[in-house]
Amino acid sequence: PKSAPPFALPKSASPFGPSAPKSFGFGPSSDIAPAGGGVSFGGASASAASGGTTPPLKFSFWTTTSAADKSSAAAAFSFGVPSTPTSAKSTAASLDNFFSKGSRKKISRASLKNKSTDSLEGYEQFRSFMDKLAESGVDDYIDLPMIAVMGDTSSGKSSLLSNISLVELPSSDTLTTRCPIRLQMRNANTRTACVKVVWKDRPEGDNVDFAERTVGEENWNEITNVIAEAQGHIIEKSGKEVARDIVCVDMKGPHCENLTLIDLPGIVCSTGKGESNTLAEDIRALMQDYLNNERCVILAVHPSNVDFHNSQILAEAKKVDPKTLRTIPVLTKPDLIDEGAETNVKDLLLGNKTDKFEMGFHMVKARGQKDLNEDVSIEEGLTKEEAFFRNKEPWRNIDDKSKFGTKSLRVKLAGLQMKIIHASFESIISEMKDRRDEAALDLKALGDIPSTLLEKRALFRNVRDSMREGLGAESLNGRISQLHSSDAKRPSAEFYLASQRFQDELNSSKLANISSIQVGTNVIAIVNGKEVRDNVCFIDDKNGNFYIKKEVIENHVWENWKTMKPGSIFKSTNKVYFARMDGTFDQLKPIPRKLVRIDPHWISELIEQNRRSSLPIFLDPSLFDAIVANQIEKEWTNPSLKLLDFTAILMETASEKFINSINMTKSLPSLTEYLVRKSSELVESIKQDTKEEVLKFIERERTPYTQNHYLFENLSKVRTQCLMDEVLSSVVTHCETEKKVSTDDLTSAIQHIFERNQKRSIDDHMAEEMQNALDSYGKVAFKRFVDTVPMICAEVMKRFPKMINDILSDVTDNEIEQLVAAPPSAITNMNALKKEVETLEKGINTVKGLSKSGVNI
């Protein structure tokens, strides 16, 4: 019916999926199709069985899966018209998903009906699309569906191709095929052929292009010579014995099947006189390009009179297609089989001697040398081929006639090609878009490659400005231009953390912690009104108590603690114990924090070692200065210089990272290397200047001085704090232990405290006074250091952006000419990416053109 849409499928059909039908037929939509199928011509239906002869202007596909319909499917194939299940809906969806929302164009599902009758019909539009992609070079980047004919030079490959195309292909001894030939055949009323060269590796030089040649009915006998001329042109201009470049023959005529084949050079095992030693390897390398294409059907040609196990092409095909899903072995020269060996070849043909080939074997008989000597035409050879298989044993007794003859092979290949094109159509257009986008990103990442001095100046200026602004934004004073993850902190954040580490390191030094008591610190503890000197062995932070080994409440023996290591100190039920060597345990006495102070014995030793001849009743300022200078030099200088080194490395690393991220310089390694080197030199220069400032600051700090009121207030406080704590503690103790405290008892206790302090030596008083002074001054100096040193070090990052800008502003034109020059490899890479983007874009536009032509996709 005229209303039946093309490519109509049963609703249950799954195109090219696991449930795809095994047989095909032609006719109207299966929803209304009569049993047996039919062929729809120009909107009128004629039963295949009726032998209708209406010229095929338009046809629709439908499928049959029942056993009753297999005969009609076979009849359809016998007419040489291939079919395959397809879905207008699924192929349309592939394009709808492919194009962006803004450019997507919906194609009318009825558009195919309204096309002019001279446009390609049905799947021919898709095959034409694939051929155009191949001609434009898309197959360099995307595997395209194709059927490639491969075999040994003596396998009968050329004769097979001549039979399929009905064109005598060049096969003289002086011009063996050395480059691929793409035969694009289409059925038409008159014979025409267009021969052109598609360069894969376009050579340099003049007169490289091959003038496109057209052959018509009037000069059809010249087509063989024209193809030979194209082959010779490729070999001459490329300077190679084997080339990837393709001779493309676009052929139309009533003799043509709707089919595209790739003819590859025959495999050779040895070379002749004047031929390169690498000829065999070069041919295999070319063939491997096609073998590796998973969308390529391998038409493996093998002579019937040669042992199947010796087939080189089948061995190569098995490597890339181990499951034999896309390999069709074609047996040639059946007339040369030794008498009595036909049965073995028959078993091979029927799949009884080898692993199953998914698409089976096929057998053809081309013209032999005697036929060629007698000028037997291709058409006459095909007639003789049909007679051979019809009359010759054992072939005539094989029921499946579709395994024999060139005409049957044409039909088989045409149907197969239609199937693989439709099956891969959606993924191909998706791959083209993805590959184009990827190449475009790679091209963008390469950056600009300027050629003129004016362009080079502009690029260099942009790079300079980018460094000034970008590195300014990445330094301490810069604004946040983008958020950084925890794995990639901003340089300013790294510097802040380094400054914190610097502060922690200084805070753990002796000068900053004169009054800090830790386990192991030598202290003076007031116990029962007496001074006890020992080192702290345990600190109870929760209760504010210190413990020393000399103050023991009592000694215990506990069997349960016998495993405790001697010398260990532990806490149990709020009591602290010390494990002795004899297995007993001392319960240590808790001493309140306020009754424990740092033992200034280390200062007493310094006073004794550096005593002057003057009256020793005053603090020696020079000794105080020396202690401060020594502590700063010993504990604070290296951390300060370490922070400076870290800042310089941080700035240098940030600069190099930023330079390498500039897209404009991706293809300019000389400029990148220059910028990195200049940045490194500048950072080192700033670091040396900054180091002098840090050392000057440290030198000033070696001489103690401050007007900070904290020093004087804190010193006044600590001078009396210990004595006041002891007095108050004594008063509290008396009040807690005695019900009625008399004034005389308190007076006596306080008097005892003062008398004990009065009995201390002048050196002890001076040592404690100096320790208090060092404690107070150390805190002041610490605050000054942790603020000033990072501020000085930060100058490395603050000064860098402006100074690098000044340096780059002084670069001369001659230097710019040398620096802004891309190496040949970068230019080659850029050109390759440009070609890839342009080629794939052209392929994508071909898809768009296919939809605009009114094809129902």
Side-chain angles (χ1 to χ4, degrees):
K2 294 183 178 180
S3 61
F7 303 142
L9 279 175
K11 294 180 179 178
S12 60
S14 175
F16 313 117
S19 62
K22 299 297 184 181
S23 58
F24 310 98
F26 300 88
S29 171
S30 61
D31 288 343
I32 56 174
V39 182
S40 173
F41 299 113
S45 179
S47 170
S50 67
T53 58
T54 306
L57 298 178
K58 184 182 295 186
F59 53 85
S60 300
F61 301 116
W62 61 279
T63 66
T64 62
T65 54
S66 65
D69 289 334
K70 287 183 178 179
S71 59
S72 61
F77 274 109
S78 69
F79 282 93
V81 185
S83 67
T84 187
T86 185
S87 166
K89 184 176 181 180
S90 63
T91 47
S94 68
L95 290 184
D96 289 343
N97 293 332
F98 177 67
F99 294 126
S100 62
K101 185 175 181 181
S103 61
R104 183 179 298 165
K105 179 179 178 181
K106 298 292 184 182
I107 308 300
S108 170
R109 295 294 183 260
S111 59
L112 186 59
K113 292 183 182 182
N114 300 324
K115 290 188 305 173
S116 59
T117 56
D118 60 346
S119 64
L120 290 171
E121 297 293 342
Y123 95 97
E124 271 301 291
Q125 284 282 13
F126 296 99
R127 189 170 71 91
S128 174
F129 161 68
M130 292 298 174
D131 289 342
K132 288 179 181 178
L133 290 185
E135 287 181 24
S136 63
V138 170
D139 56 344
D140 282 341
Y141 313 104
I142 305 294
D143 285 344
L144 297 180
M146 61 181 66
I147 300 175
V149 185
M150 308 180 195
D152 296 343
T153 51
S154 59
S155 62
K157 180 174 62 67
S158 297
S159 297
L160 170 64
L161 287 165
S162 294
N163 276 10
I164 292 176
S165 64
L166 293 178
V167 169
E168 296 283 3
L169 296 178
S171 60
S172 67
D173 294 337
T174 58
L175 190 61
T176 304
T177 302
R178 297 292 172 86
C179 58
I181 300 176
R182 181 186 292 120
L183 296 172
Q184 299 170 182
M185 297 170 281
R186 292 175 176 82
N187 189 268
N189 293 328
T190 58
R191 292 189 299 184
T192 59
C194 175
V195 180
K196 55 188 174 184
V197 170
V198 176
W199 293 105
K200 294 292 184 181
D201 304 309
R202 185 179 179 84
E204 301 290 336
D206 300 328
N207 301 319
V208 171
D209 292 328
F210 177 79
E212 188 175 304
R213 301 279 296 278
T214 301
V215 178
E217 287 283 3
E218 66 283 357
N219 60 342
W220 187 254
N221 58 346
E222 296 180 9
I223 187 170
T224 304
N225 292 333
V226 174
I227 295 172
E229 288 176 20
Q231 286 182 308
H233 181 84
I234 289 175
I235 298 304
E236 177 188 352
K237 296 301 180 180
S238 67
K240 303 175 183 176
E241 286 188 301
V242 177
R244 294 175 61 244
D245 313 293
I246 300 173
V247 175
C248 185
V249 182
D250 192 350
M251 192 185 331
K252 301 177 182 178
H255 66 288
C256 291
E257 193 70 51
N258 293 319
L259 181 63
T260 300
L261 297 176
I262 304 289
D263 177 26
L264 296 178
I267 300 172
V268 298
C269 295
S270 60
T271 55
K273 185 177 180 180
E275 293 178 331
S276 169
N277 293 331
T278 64
L279 177 63
E281 294 179 8
D282 294 340
I283 291 176
R284 287 181 183 275
L286 173 62
M287 185 178 68
Q288 200 66 41
D289 288 344
Y290 290 83
L291 287 171
N292 290 337
N293 178 357
E294 294 185 357
R295 294 188 177 116
C296 174
V297 173
I298 304 165
L299 206 62
V301 180
H302 176 73
S304 301
N305 61 333
V306 176
D307 189 350
F308 174 78
H309 298 91
N310 296 329
S311 174
Q312 294 187 55
I313 182 56
L314 285 172
E316 295 296 329
K318 200 71 179 285
K319 293 178 184 178
V320 296
D321 183 28
K323 295 183 179 180
T324 64
L325 299 177
R326 56 186 181 95
T327 303
I328 302 179
V330 178
L331 303 177
T332 60
K333 304 181 181 181
D335 53 320
L336 300 182
I337 299 174
D338 292 339
E339 186 174 350
E342 293 90 350
T343 301
N344 289 334
V345 178
K346 173 185 174 183
D347 289 340
L348 183 66
L349 179 67
L350 297 178
N352 299 328
K353 290 178 66 71
T354 64
D355 294 335
K356 180 182 178 182
F357 279 80
E358 185 71 19
M359 292 179 283
F361 280 73
H362 199 90
M363 179 179 281
V364 297
K365 178 191 175 300
R367 294 168 296 164
Q369 190 59 50
K370 182 175 180 296
D371 292 331
L372 295 175
N373 294 338
E374 295 176 358
D375 292 329
V376 174
S377 68
I378 297 175
E379 290 80 0
E380 292 171 337
L382 291 174
T383 300
K384 295 176 68 175
E385 179 191 41
E386 291 180 358
F388 177 83
F389 288 121
R390 185 171 57 248
N391 301 317
K392 183 72 174 176
E393 292 286 356
W395 323 122
R396 71 175 187 172
N397 292 325
I398 295 177
D399 294 334
D400 188 357
K401 301 302 182 184
S402 66
K403 290 183 176 293
F404 299 101
T406 303
K407 292 182 179 180
S408 180
L409 180 61
R410 285 183 199 161
V411 173
K412 182 185 295 186
L413 294 178
L416 174 63
Q417 187 164 66
M418 179 171 61
K419 179 178 179 180
I420 61 176
I421 287 176
H422 277 287
S424 57
F425 185 78
E426 181 177 354
S427 59
I428 286 173
I429 55 180
S430 179
E431 287 173 25
M432 281 196 298
K433 183 176 182 296
D434 292 343
R435 184 73 184 260
R436 178 205 60 184
D437 293 345
E438 181 181 342
L441 287 175
D442 291 342
L443 184 61
K444 183 179 180 181
L446 281 179
D448 300 324
I449 301 182
S451 54
T452 67
L453 177 59
L454 185 63
E455 291 174 344
K456 292 181 177 182
R457 280 182 192 153
L459 183 141
F460 191 84
R461 183 171 58 251
N462 290 337
V463 170
R464 181 195 65 200
D465 295 343
S466 178
M467 287 189 65
R468 183 188 68 244
E469 297 170 4
L471 289 172
E474 291 291 289
S475 64
L476 284 177
N477 289 335
R479 56 184 172 82
I480 296 179
S481 56
Q482 60 178 342
L483 294 178
H484 286 242
S485 68
S486 58
D487 295 332
K489 296 182 180 66
R490 297 176 63 83
S492 53
E494 293 282 6
F495 179 76
Y496 175 77
L497 294 177
S499 299
Q500 283 188 323
R501 292 192 295 269
F502 169 72
Q503 178 178 336
D504 293 341
E505 189 170 358
L506 262 59
N507 196 33
S508 64
S509 67
K510 188 169 185 176
L511 183 58
N513 289 278
I514 295 293
S515 62
S516 176
I517 300 177
Q518 307 294 330
V519 172
T521 302
N522 292 322
V523 296
I524 298 175
I526 306 301
V527 182
N528 299 327
K530 296 180 181 180
E531 291 185 352
V532 181
R533 294 176 184 267
D534 199 356
N535 58 67
V536 176
C537 65
F538 190 85
I539 300 175
D540 184 357
D541 291 318
K542 182 178 180 181
N543 298 308
N545 293 323
F546 290 80
Y547 295 82
I548 58 178
K549 296 177 184 178
K550 289 183 179 180
E551 289 301 315
V552 179
I553 296 177
E554 57 181 333
N555 185 264
H556 301 275
V557 177
W558 283 299
E559 291 296 330
N560 293 339
W561 291 356
K562 285 253 180 167
T563 57
M564 195 67 67
K565 185 178 180 181
S568 61
I569 298 173
F570 57 95
K571 187 178 181 181
S572 176
T573 62
N574 288 326
K575 296 177 181 179
V576 176
Y577 297 89
F578 169 65
R580 291 190 172 275
M581 296 295 294
D582 60 3
T584 62
F585 300 89
D586 288 342
Q587 180 184 342
L588 303 182
K589 183 176 182 178
I591 306 171
R593 169 68 181 87
K594 61 180 66 176
L595 297 181
V596 180
R597 67 180 185 273
I598 299 290
D599 187 352
H601 181 70
W602 66 282
I603 296 180
S604 298
E605 290 180 346
L606 291 175
I607 291 174
E608 185 177 346
Q609 294 168 359
N610 296 277
R611 192 184 304 279
R612 292 187 175 189
S613 59
S614 57
L615 188 64
I617 59 174
F618 302 103
L619 282 177
D620 186 353
S622 62
L623 179 59
F624 179 87
D625 292 352
I627 293 174
V628 171
N630 178 267
Q631 292 298 312
I632 289 176
E633 178 67 27
K634 182 180 178 181
E635 296 187 312
W636 289 7
T637 299
N638 284 338
S640 300
L641 296 178
K642 189 166 65 174
L643 178 62
L644 175 61
D645 289 340
F646 178 85
T647 308
I649 293 173
L650 183 65
M651 189 65 244
E652 185 175 354
T653 303
S655 173
E656 182 174 357
K657 183 178 179 181
F658 183 83
I659 291 168
N660 288 325
S661 71
I662 300 175
N663 284 333
M664 292 179 285
T665 64
K666 291 293 184 182
S667 302
L668 305 170
S670 296
L671 178 58
T672 299
E673 185 275 332
Y674 172 83
L675 295 173
V676 171
R677 176 165 50 83
K678 284 297 180 182
S679 297
S680 179
E681 292 172 356
L682 176 58
V683 169
E684 182 63 26
S685 175
I686 299 175
K687 173 187 168 183
Q688 294 304 321
D689 293 342
T690 308
K691 184 176 181 179
E692 291 183 12
E693 295 181 37
V694 172
L695 292 176
K696 286 180 181 179
F697 168 74
I698 293 174
E699 186 61 30
R700 289 196 302 270
E701 288 296 317
R702 288 167 60 91
T703 303
Y705 178 81
T706 185
Q707 288 293 330
N708 192 323
H709 64 87
Y710 171 83
L711 171 68
F712 306 105
E713 292 174 358
N714 191 62
L715 186 56
S716 298
K717 178 181 178 181
V718 298
R719 277 173 175 165
T720 59
Q721 188 68 47
C722 290
L723 187 60
M724 184 174 65
D725 287 342
E726 187 177 350
V727 170
L728 293 176
S729 179
S730 178
V731 170
V732 171
T733 301
H734 277 76
C735 292
E736 289 177 348
T737 57
E738 299 181 19
K739 295 181 179 180
K740 184 177 181 181
V741 181
S742 65
T743 304
D744 291 340
D745 291 339
L746 287 177
T747 300
S748 175
I750 294 172
Q751 186 176 357
H752 173 75
I753 294 172
F754 276 88
E755 287 176 352
R756 191 186 73 247
N757 275 277
Q758 290 169 359
K759 291 178 181 179
R760 294 167 62 193
S761 69
I762 190 68
D763 284 354
D764 288 342
H765 281 291
M766 285 194 297
E768 189 156 348
E769 178 70 8
M770 186 172 290
Q771 182 170 267
N772 292 333
L774 288 171
D775 181 45
S776 299
Y777 184 77
K779 290 179 170 57
V780 172
F782 168 77
K783 291 179 180 179
R784 201 155 53 209
F785 251 82
V786 297
D787 286 341
T788 305
V789 171
M791 289 177 65
I792 296 174
C793 293
E795 288 299 312
V796 174
M797 292 194 291
K798 290 181 179 180
R799 294 164 59 189
F800 180 86
K802 181 181 183 304
M803 294 183 71
I804 193 66
N805 182 74
D806 294 341
I807 291 173
L808 297 181
S809 296
D810 293 335
V811 176
T812 65
D813 283 350
N814 288 335
E815 290 175 306
I816 291 176
E817 278 278 17
Q818 296 177 356
L819 293 173
V820 189
S825 59
I827 296 175
T828 300
N829 190 22
M830 181 190 69
N831 290 335
L833 287 172
K834 282 185 176 179
K835 179 183 177 184
E836 183 174 352
V837 172
E838 292 170 359
T839 299
L840 294 171
E841 188 66 39
K842 185 176 180 181
I844 292 169
N845 289 334
T846 301
V847 180
K848 296 178 181 179
L850 185 63
S851 66
K852 290 178 181 177
S853 67
V855 180
N856 186 1
I857 56 176

